[in-house]
Amino acid sequence: MAVSIKSAKEIELMRESNKRLAEVHLAMEQLIKPGVTTWELDEFAERMIRNMGCVPNFKNYEGYPATVCCSVNDEVVHGIPSKTRYLKEGDIISLDMGLIYKGFHSDAARTHGVGKVSPEVQQLMDVTKQSFFEGIKYAVAGHHLHEIGNAIDDYVTPFGYGIVYDLTGHGVGHKLHEDPAIPNYRSRSKGIRLKAGMTLAVEPMITMGTADVEWLDDNWTVVTADGSWAAHYENTILVTDQEPEILSML
C-alpha cells in the first residue's frame, strides 16, 4: 500500500479544490425541495463546477454517467440522477460529488431532508454526521488508520443502526480514489500509522436497518437489502500533527 503524502504546494491546491466543492454543496442545499428532480440537481452542479473552471470528477468515472450521485431514501450511494425522479416531502437525499482543480481531486457528501422529515429520519442524519466527527478525532499523525472506523462504530452501534461494510472511505488527491481504504466499522488490525500530509475522504454510510446492501440493475445504485433508509456524510480531510483539517467545509 502506497499512501500519498502531499507537499505544502499540493496541500494548497487540495484546499482550493475542496473549498470550491464546499461552495457547490452549499448552493445545492438551497435547491432541495419537493418537486425538484435529481436531474435538475445534477445539471446545476455540473454547470456551477464548470463555471468555476473545474471538472466534475465523478462524471464518466469508470462509466458513471453524471456529476452527482443523488441517492434517495433507501439508496445508500451512487444513485443516478433522473428526469423522472421527483423529490417528495419527507424524503432524504444524499448528494455525493467532487471536482478537479489544477489536477487535484476533492470529494464530499451530504444528506439532506426534503421539507419536513420524521424525528426518526432526522436522528439518522444527525448520527451519521456526528459519527464522521467522532471518527476524525483519531485522524492525527501517530494514530492508526483503523482507530477512525473503531470510533465511528462505537458511536453508531448503540443507536441500533447498520454500518455498511461493503463500502469504505479512501485516500484522495492526485486521483479520486487512492490508498488507503478507510472502513467505518471496527477492525481487528490497527491499520497503517497515519502521517501528516495524508489526505483522506472519511465517509460513514449508516442505515436504519440492516448493514447489507445490494446493487441495482444499473450496476451503480447501492440500496439497503431490507429497504431501510440510509444516510451518508463525507469530507476530505488533511492529517496533521494536531487536529485534522477538514478541507471540504467552509
Side-chain angles (χ1 to χ4, degrees):
M1 180 187 298
V3 180
S4 171
I5 305 295
K6 308 303 189 295
S7 68
K9 181 178 180 180
E10 290 171 331
I11 288 169
E12 282 306 310
L13 292 170
M14 288 286 292
R15 285 194 179 104
E16 184 60 28
S17 179
N18 280 279
K19 174 179 176 292
R20 294 178 182 218
L21 178 60
E23 291 171 355
V24 179
H25 266 293
L26 282 176
M28 291 190 70
E29 185 176 355
Q30 307 306 312
L31 303 177
I32 297 169
K33 60 184 178 180
V36 170
T37 67
T38 53
W39 182 273
E40 291 174 282
L41 295 174
D42 185 74
E43 281 196 322
F44 175 88
E46 180 171 0
R47 184 167 58 250
M48 185 171 178
I49 289 170
R50 294 194 186 279
N51 285 344
M52 289 175 163
C54 302
V55 176
N57 54 5
F58 283 24
K59 192 161 190 177
N60 300 318
Y61 180 77
E62 296 185 353
Y64 186 74
T67 293
V68 186
C69 295
C70 296
S71 306
V72 180
N73 298 341
D74 66 329
E75 297 170 353
V76 182
V77 288
H78 305 161
I80 298 174
S82 168
K83 293 179 180 179
T84 61
R85 187 64 183 267
Y86 292 87
L87 298 181
K88 303 187 301 294
E89 182 82 17
D91 284 345
I92 58 173
I93 180 170
S94 298
L95 303 177
D96 186 8
M97 59 183 158
L99 59 80
I100 306 169
Y101 170 77
K102 294 188 177 180
F104 284 85
H105 292 256
S106 52
D107 190 6
R110 306 282 187 267
T111 300
H112 303 281
V114 181
K116 185 176 181 180
V117 300
S118 71
E120 294 80 10
V121 168
Q122 186 63 54
Q123 178 178 275
L124 172 70
M125 293 191 294
D126 293 343
V127 169
T128 302
K129 181 176 180 178
Q130 186 58 35
S131 73
F132 163 85
F133 290 98
E134 296 298 322
I136 67 165
K137 290 177 181 178
Y138 297 90
V140 177
H143 281 271
H144 288 87
L145 179 69
H146 291 166
E147 292 181 78
I148 297 172
N150 292 350
I152 292 171
D153 195 323
D154 288 346
Y155 180 74
V156 170
T157 297
F159 290 92
Y161 294 146
I163 302 172
V164 175
Y165 278 67
D166 290 354
L167 301 158
T168 68
H170 52 91
V172 60
H174 300 283
K175 300 177 182 178
L176 176 56
H177 290 105
E178 299 180 348
D179 287 335
I182 308 168
N184 298 304
Y185 47 83
R186 180 165 289 282
S187 302
R188 290 185 179 180
S189 68
K190 291 182 177 180
I192 62 169
R193 188 179 295 275
L194 299 175
K195 297 179 180 179
M198 291 180 175
T199 46
L200 310 175
V202 178
E203 50 178 321
M205 290 157 273
I206 310 301
T207 77
M208 296 181 79
T210 182
D212 297 332
V213 295
E214 299 173 349
W215 273 253
L216 297 186
D217 290 343
D218 61 22
N219 293 319
W220 279 106
T221 308
V222 180
V223 299
T224 59
D226 61 357
S228 61
W229 286 16
H232 180 200
Y233 188 83
E234 174 188 23
N235 280 303
T236 298
I237 66 168
L238 170 68
V239 176
T240 75
D241 292 318
Q242 304 297 322
E243 292 183 357
E245 180 181 345
I246 303 175
L247 301 179
S248 51
M249 289 182 67
L250 294 177

